Amino acid sequence: MNIFFLSIALGMCFLMLFSLYRAIFGPTVLDRLVGVNAIGSKTVILLLLIGFLYERVDMFVDIALAYAFLNFVAVIAASRYFHKRKGLYEESFMD
Amino acid sequence: MDNYPALIVVAPLLAALFAGIAAWIEERLSYPIAVIGLAISTFSAIMTLMTVIASGTIHYRMAGWAPPMGIEYRIDLLNAMVLLLVSGIAFLNLIASYKSVEQETSDRAGSFYTIYLLFVTGLLGVTATGDLFNLYVLIEITSLTSYAMVALGDKDRGPLASLNYVFIGVIGASFYLLGVGYLYLITGSLNMMDVAGILPALKGSSTVLVAFILCMIGVWIKMALFPMHVWLPNAYSYSPVAFARMVAPLMTKVMVYVMIRLMVTVFGFEYIFETLNIADAVVWLATLAILAGGVMALAQKNLKKMLTYIIVCEIGYMVGGAWMGNQLGMTGAILHILNDAIMTFALFLAVGNMVYKLKKVDLTDLKGLFGKMPWTMTGFVLAAFSIIGVPPTCGFFSKWYLILGALEKGAYHFAAALIISSLICAVLFFKVFEICFFEPMSEGHGHGESHSQVAIEEAPISMLIITGFVSLSLIVVGLYSGTIVNTIILPFLK
Amino acid sequence: METIVSVKPLLAVLVTLFVIPILVSSSSKPNVRESWIFIAGTIKLLLVLSMLPVILEGKQIVLTLFEIAPGAAIAFRVDGLGMLFAIVAASLYLVTSVYSIGYMRGLDEHGQTRFVSFFALAISATIGAAFSANLMTLYLFYEVLSLATYPLVTHHQDANSRLSGRRYLTFILGTSIGLVLPAMIYCYSVTGTLEFSTAGIFAAGELSKPAATVLLLMFVFGFAKAGIMPFHTWLPAAMVAPTPVSALLHAVAVVKVGVFSIVRIITGIFGVELLSEFNLGVMVMTIASVTILVSSCIALSQDELKRRLAFSTISQLSYIVFGVALLTPQGLLGGVIHIAMHAFGKITLFFCAGAIFVATGKKYISQMSGLGKKMPFTFAAFFIGALGVIGLPPSGGFYSKWNLILGTLEAQQTIFMLVLLLSSFLNAFYFLPIIYKGFFGKSEEEGDGPVKIQEANLCLLIPLMFTAFISIVLFFYPTVFVKLINIGLGLL
Amino acid sequence: MHWPIDLIVLTFVIFCAIAAISVKDLLGTAILFGAYSFMMCLLWAVMGAVDVAFTEASVGAGVSTVFFVAAVFRTSRRTKD
Amino acid sequence: MTDLLPLIVAKYNYWLYVILMMIGLYAMIAKNNLIKKLVGMNIFQTAIILFYVSIGYKKDATIPIIQSAHGGGHGAHEAAIHAADYINPLPHVLMLTAIVVSVATFGVAMALAVRVYQRYQTLEEDELRMRLSEK
Amino acid sequence: MAVSNKGTATNNGKSRATFINSFFSFLITFILMFLSWIVLSGKFDPLLLWLGGISSFFVAYYFYDLLFPSMEENYIKIFFKFIIYTPWLILEIIKANFHLLRIVFHPRMNELIDPHIITFKTNLKSDIAIATLANSITLTPGTITVTADSDGVFKVHAIDRESAQALPGTMLKKVAHVFGEDI
Amino acid sequence: MRVLAFIIVCLTGALLLYGTGEFPDWGDPQSPASVHLSNVYIEKALEQTQVPNLVTAVLADYRGFDTMFETAVVFCAGLACFLLLRDFREKKERYYRHTPTGVILHVKDSKKIIKVGKEFAHMDKNWVPSDLIIKSVCRILIPFIQIYALYVVAHGDFSPGGGFQGGVIFGSSLILLAISYDLKTLVRRIKEKVLGIWAAVGVLIYVGIAAICMPMGGNFLDYSVLAPLVWDPHHVRALGMLGVEIGVGIAVTAVMAIIYINIVSEGRHEEGL
Amino acid sequence: MNILVILFLVIGVFFFLGGAIGIMRMPDFYSRLHPAGKLDTLGILAMVMGLAIYNLHHFSYEALLLSLKMFLIVFFVFLSSPTATHSIVDAGMRAGLRHWTKKKGKG
């Protein structure tokens, strides 16, 4: 079963590459944000899988949970930036 | 009581926290709390020094765990001396700073004292600890507090200077941390004595070599040895006076202490001077540092900046002395830690008094200062003489040992650099003296009798007393330097 | 040699130091202030004199204060040479302090408190240098003296004194840090001690001849207060100082400390034997001779009285160096005793110059025609002082020059004897015209001066007459000094 | 056992680091920096450093990014390199 | 090829930490934007953490939390604990501290950057230098 | 919450009602918190339970008004209705996800999709209801809520016509039912 | 500059790579680092401290002194941000919003003060109405995040996490509150003063627990001497660690909030993100 | 039992794969959000379900609570993921990012 988990995990890593591509090459900042958000959800699962690989999943659930929380906070914060500072590329009106 | 070693460090920390709380509740309480904390710390330092002199090295186990497992405070003669130096100077400076803090950061004085105490805690911890990683954490405390303070001083340029300081400071600390990592990897331990016990078996290892180089580069960056000095002048000259007076004498000195500690205790002379052949190169670097520091100081137009470049120059002294690889040079370096701390402190005290009255200390602002602030200037002159190396003041005696060490090693270039830097310092300070002495004050100048009737506008008495005390101690320490060498430094080196 | 431990040397040094706070605190009451100076000076002289009998018995007084490093302590040792120098300095300090009261008040100078305080500091350092037991202590007081005199030299705080002060420090501090310090440290690193001893501190074979030559040159030039030729220019420059400073410090204390140091180096560090062995005396003598002759010639061309005196001083100082460098008993005696003889002579001359300046405001020799008639006492004293400097009887100067010439004969250095004679001739040539002018010249501004020119006030007059008197006395009774020198140099 | 994941994630981390410092928009840097922290957290977890991973998750992904965005919010997104 | 893979696996972490550190250091020195420099700083610090954590890793060992049969509370230590079964906890401890220090530094540095921007309205180093020399 | 007994005795019934309201929301929050503590902790050590109690109290004390700002609504009823609503939602989500998968894997994707924005108005009043609907819309693929303001106006980005046509439809009814509001 | 940087970087890299040459393999159980000291920790820690999480045991007990200063560093950072950015000055221009109608008033005269209460609310240029969906979801999430954070603090002994992580998560819950509502809400709920005091108190708990050991007759931080004070002397070290972790958690929470508030509002405590 | 776990996990990976491909292939930012936000959410649900079942392999009281805890993650993700998605879309709208339309895409 461990081999299976490992291969699933590797598959997730492979899938992460797509999100990473979007995060790195995304034409706009928001595309990057989408990419990072997607990476975040994959990471949660990966963490759990690693937990199973270590056979100590009880310890890894905490991390995954915290991870999910904080990813959310970060994404909200980054998107709130656009609520206050309008404009995708140029500087906003402030001062 | 056996807990003095811990108390030295913990007292300021506790005081810092109480002062931090007091800053929100009743700000006036912060100052007395800070004073009490540092007084306890100083007292403990004195007691520790006496114990160490009487009965040898103290091993204090934090949390009661035996050294390689737990963190140990290992206080030998060198530590004890530097501890007393740090806590004493911090204490004296705190007493002198009340008025200038009131003037500069009146609306957040409580927080200022908190940061101040945390900084002292960091320095004391760096000095006392016998654990390589603990050292790193404490270095970071000192750095973090200094970043804040530097930015707080000069409203215009402070933040930028501070940010540059952050970058370089982090690089320095990280290099040190990497070095510790390499050491840990190869020895599996973090305790200095333990590592020192394991290292001789690994003499030829490239990892140890890299670890050593990394540690040294890290410490050099933190102490602003010549090519890595760029952060220091701005950082120190833009910080608030009350803080500059402490950071300038102590920070770099403590880092030099760390370097000596690493060299003497952890890696050992044998490794550094027999296995490696980089001592000559480092001494050359120190020589360059001395000359460059002096020359750059000559170009400055602001008194504070000028003094900071002199610090760069003085660091060259200590590094060079420590890397001589003989007892005389090391004696000189250690003695110079003490002396340089006191004399820089005296200088900055005097400058602080000037800033208190004049607000800015470009050289042109100093006209007629001898008439205006005679006592301050007396202190300044004494300190300056000490930096130049005029005999009864302490600066001469450490220079004496340094040159002796250089001659013994045959590093004539270093000896020459020491002499030249003395001359440069003489030129520098007499340039200042001339301005203070000859040029009439900008307002209402006259000739003849009017000079002696200049209204004397001295700094507050608390500042003056400390200035006077420290200036006099320059001479006292100088005269007793033989005693210091015999009771503290030589036994330590043996 | 028997030694006695006593705090007297320390007290002698400190007494003027301790009085400084009192001086500062009584700055608003000049009379109180000056009486304190007087008291301190007297105590100091008495302390010095109280040690005299002990020294004359052939004992030494020692006191170690701080052990800096093995063999290099801050320590005092009173021997004959030091005693001689200390007596001269202490007694002249007393005289000068009286003189300076008159001078400073006469000119209504500013910053008198500062002036007297640093004066006291300077004299402390001078006595300290005289009593030093080793090179470290000597160097210490030498430096203190340099720095203490800076505010005195630049007392006027104007552009001129600023320049002079700069030159003064450049030469004094530059040479002492740049030359003496390395040389001293080298000595220490070779021998492990800096203690003066008549046999020298270098063990046999520790020093090669080239090294010794370089070291000696570093010392001789390094003690720039001695005014050896390329490093002499500070002295004329320092003449911008008020005259009491020029008188005491630049005729007695400061310059003599320089010379005294060189004497100590030659007799106490290298030792006469070593230098004779390496034949280095001749080299120093040559340097000294050049200084003597050149500065005498320059003195001839100076119109400002004090500058002329300054150049005279330079040449006279080199006499002392010259004498010591002869490395023969006679030469040593002559050289060292010239410290005293020249001191009394030259201080008289400076006093006179100051008195003239106070009384008439004249600084230049060319203005002084006919003044002698109005200021007869001053000019008489000037005459005696000049005799002393030239080396003619009945002044003490004769005694030293006589010994010097004997010394050259003893060392069989005939050429150098000619140098001495020639320079004495030159001395006569630049002093006697002044006196001639003063007494017999025609007064230029007869009658048109609004103020009638007369003798300066008593405070000025008494000291100069006193020193002139002593100068003559020394011609007849130099025995005490001679004995001190003989004891000091171990010649007995 | 874990080395394949370690290897791959480590490579991703390098990509992220390079991207984070070469993006010409500070907000983009902030976001990529967050991604970098995610990867790092994963890496620590792979290496069995659970506490470090936890800390990295909370600090790197959480507050660090938020501070970063806040700072960019108060300063400017503009960057020349 | 068969020899290469174990070698790569054995040193891969150490090599990549060096590369990461170089990236961070390069950003800190060469980048023009202050905040970019800060990112470089953080990458640099993370590289060090990577190094330490790599030191601590042990093959075939589990995470450094002692496993008890029923996970039950305090003091349940039945079986003997073998050191080889658990990953070295010490580097983790050190790195926790290092992370905390780095986030503290990061916060302060951000505050400083905000202050710099308030004062000069730019974060580009060359522009800052220009502003400074203007005065 | 920090209203003392003394204060309520003198005041009229309104403040007493407020107090009771806040007390109830405090209590519910506390229980909820404590339950989640137990789920998280998984240990029944007395010390940890005590700590859990203290923590729950702490959170409930300071933030009771976040979860349940007022006691006007019948939370328990809503809760059960919501439980019933959830499986339907999940089913819907799964159904719609396959739809999205089809789009994604379709070789000529660009022909299938036709992004556009639709706006519609609902009569939902409470924030929670609006938020639930918005999130439900977002979760069911093909549509993402762009904005939803307190007047119940929704702006939805739909990826193709098919997804858009389903709106607001059944989902609105269900949500309204859960929260007891008119459509 | 770039070339220079490149050279420096390459030199450093080369140096470090040179050092790696003699490294033991990655994951080698026999490397010096894994045998010398760590074995002692692994084998003795549970027995000596009763804490199964070795990292916590080492962190808060064996090397508790480090951690104390680590907390001090955090405190220091918060204080530094406060000192650097906090701006107490009165604003000249002020904006008000009439809550019922949503009309925005712009007051340029600094003397004119509108009473802020139910009708009017402060705002500033950055003000935008807070998003309803985010707001209501976060409202539900925040208490759960907080209880989770507290759980993490309390379970530092058994599972990963501890004071610092818990503190950070709690801090981010406060930050989330500030983001989803607005900064004013956070500042109103938790006063700046309270945050400042708590930051210090948190560290003080740590240092206090450590310092109390000294008058009790032990060394600094030696929890074992506290046994008479606690109800479960067998676990005194674990309890000591728990106390310490709580202190850390409090300090970190407060500091994270302080840093965020000050950075995002430039120290004016107005609108943030 | 294991078959169920494998099934769930494979389904989850399949959803994730869809998300990943979608992120790559979709023409504009708004449409990319659809797969990113939703397929991933469902993927998480499926995979956590699988893992939770696997966790209950050796049934015990603790394991049950642990599986519950895993579902806490799912609960959380179901709350936060749409909110995050919505927030990003809103940000895009406010930033003035125009969405891709068919005509434009073809033209």
Side-chain angles (χ1 to χ4, degrees), chain G residues 15-254:
Chain G
L15 180 73
L16 294 175
L17 276 177
Y18 172 66
T20 58
E22 295 189 6
F23 276 12
D25 286 354
W26 179 65
D28 180 9
Q30 293 306 317
S31 69
S34 302
V35 290
H36 178 64
L37 201 51
S38 74
N39 284 2
V40 188
Y41 285 132
I42 293 170
E43 282 164 9
K44 293 274 163 29
L46 183 61
E47 187 187 324
Q48 285 172 340
T49 63
Q50 315 297 335
V51 169
N53 185 349
L54 297 175
V55 176
T56 307
V58 179
L59 184 83
D61 196 349
Y62 294 99
R63 299 188 69 85
F65 201 59
D66 269 353
T67 314
M68 186 175 90
F69 285 112
E70 168 203 318
T71 322
V73 167
V74 174
F75 173 63
C76 193
L79 201 61
C81 281
F82 168 78
L83 268 178
L84 288 177
L85 288 172
R86 188 72 178 96
D87 186 354
F88 291 109
R89 279 173 304 174
E90 275 289 310
K91 289 169 293 258
K92 273 184 205 150
E93 298 186 2
R94 290 186 308 278
Y95 294 83
Y96 296 94
R97 188 165 47 90
H98 189 236
T99 323
T101 56
V103 176
I104 291 168
L105 303 173
H106 181 187
V107 182
K108 279 185 181 164
D109 186 1
S110 60
K111 281 165 205 148
K112 237 183 230 167
I113 292 167
I114 294 176
K115 210 175 164 202
V116 176
K118 272 189 181 157
E119 254 185 285
F120 288 97
H122 271 300
M123 57 172 285
D124 71 354
K125 271 187 197 169
N126 293 112
W127 188 85
V128 288
S130 55
D131 191 297
L132 186 133
I133 301 172
I134 297 177
K135 201 164 128 182
S136 12
V137 171
C138 290
R139 217 177 71 191
I140 297 167
L141 284 181
I142 286 169
F144 286 101
I145 297 182
Q146 283 170 347
I147 197 80
Y148 175 68
L150 294 172
Y151 151 78
V152 170
V153 174
H155 286 68
D157 292 1
F158 313 104
S159 53
F164 184 74
Q165 293 88 335
V168 171
I169 296 173
F170 204 101
S172 15
S173 82
L174 297 183
I175 292 173
L176 188 60
L177 184 69
I179 292 175
S180 61
Y181 281 65
D182 58 4
L183 197 64
K184 284 253 165 49
T185 316
L186 176 62
V187 178
R188 212 172 34 244
R189 273 175 178 270
I190 302 176
K191 295 274 183 304
E192 190 192 10
K193 186 175 167 181
V194 176
L195 283 177
I197 291 177
W198 277 55
V201 165
V203 189
L204 196 60
I205 290 176
Y206 198 139
V207 186
I209 290 178
I212 274 180
C213 303
M214 290 199 286
M216 298 285 291
N219 276 358
F220 187 73
L221 258 171
D222 191 351
Y223 306 125
S224 60
V225 294
L226 298 178
L229 296 184
V230 297
W231 57 91
D232 188 1
H234 184 57
H235 289 127
V236 61
R237 283 191 173 272
L239 288 172
M241 281 182 228
L242 181 64
V244 161
E245 298 268 19
I246 290 171
V248 177
I250 291 174
V252 171
T253 306

Side-chain angles (χ1 to χ4, degrees), chain B residues 10 21 24 60-61 63 65 68-69 73 108 114 131 133-134 141 145 151 182 184-186 188 194 205 207 210, chain G residues 16 19 22-23 32-33 36-37 40-41 48 61-63 65-66 73 76 79-80 83-84 86 196 200 219-220 237:
Chain B
V10 174
I21 296 173
W24 289 102
Y60 187 86
R61 295 168 175 187
W65 297 111
M69 285 180 77
Y73 266 14
R108 43 199 87 176
T114 312
D131 190 278
F133 189 78
N134 197 231
I141 288 200
T145 41
Y182 274 58
Y184 175 67
L185 179 98
I186 202 81
D194 202 25
S205 163
T207 312
V210 174
Chain G
L16 294 175
E22 295 189 6
F23 276 12
H36 178 64
L37 201 51
V40 188
Y41 285 132
Q48 285 172 340
D61 196 349
Y62 294 99
R63 299 188 69 85
F65 201 59
D66 269 353
V73 167
C76 193
L79 201 61
L83 268 178
L84 288 177
R86 188 72 178 96
N219 276 358
F220 187 73
R237 283 191 173 272

Side-chain angles (χ1 to χ4, degrees), chain B residues 252-264:
Chain B
T252 50
K253 277 11 135 228
V254 168
M255 287 304 149
V256 173
Y257 157 79
V258 172
M259 183 185 77
I260 291 175
R261 170 65 61 196
L262 287 175
M263 287 170 69
V264 174

Side-chain angles (χ1 to χ4, degrees), chain B residues 143-144 146-148 159-172 222 231, chain E residues 28 38 41 105-106 108-110 112:
Chain B
S143 314
L144 215 58
S146 356
Y147 304 151
L160 191 55
S162 176
L163 203 52
N164 284 325
Y165 184 16
V166 169
F167 293 131
I168 297 180
V170 165
I171 291 183
K222 279 281 178 186
W231 56 271
Chain E
M28 273 180 96
L38 281 182
M41 180 181 105
T105 317
F106 189 68
V108 174
M110 281 300 178
L112 285 171

Side-chain angles (χ1 to χ4, degrees), chain B residues 22 32 40 44 47 51 115 131 138 159 161 190 205 216 220 230 258 347 368 391 409 445 493:
Chain B
I40 295 173
S44 313
M47 297 305 286
T51 321
I115 291 256
D131 190 278
L138 288 154
L190 289 167
S205 163
M216 281 298 139
W220 285 340
V230 280
V258 172
L347 268 182
K409 187 177 189 280
H445 62 87
L493 290 174

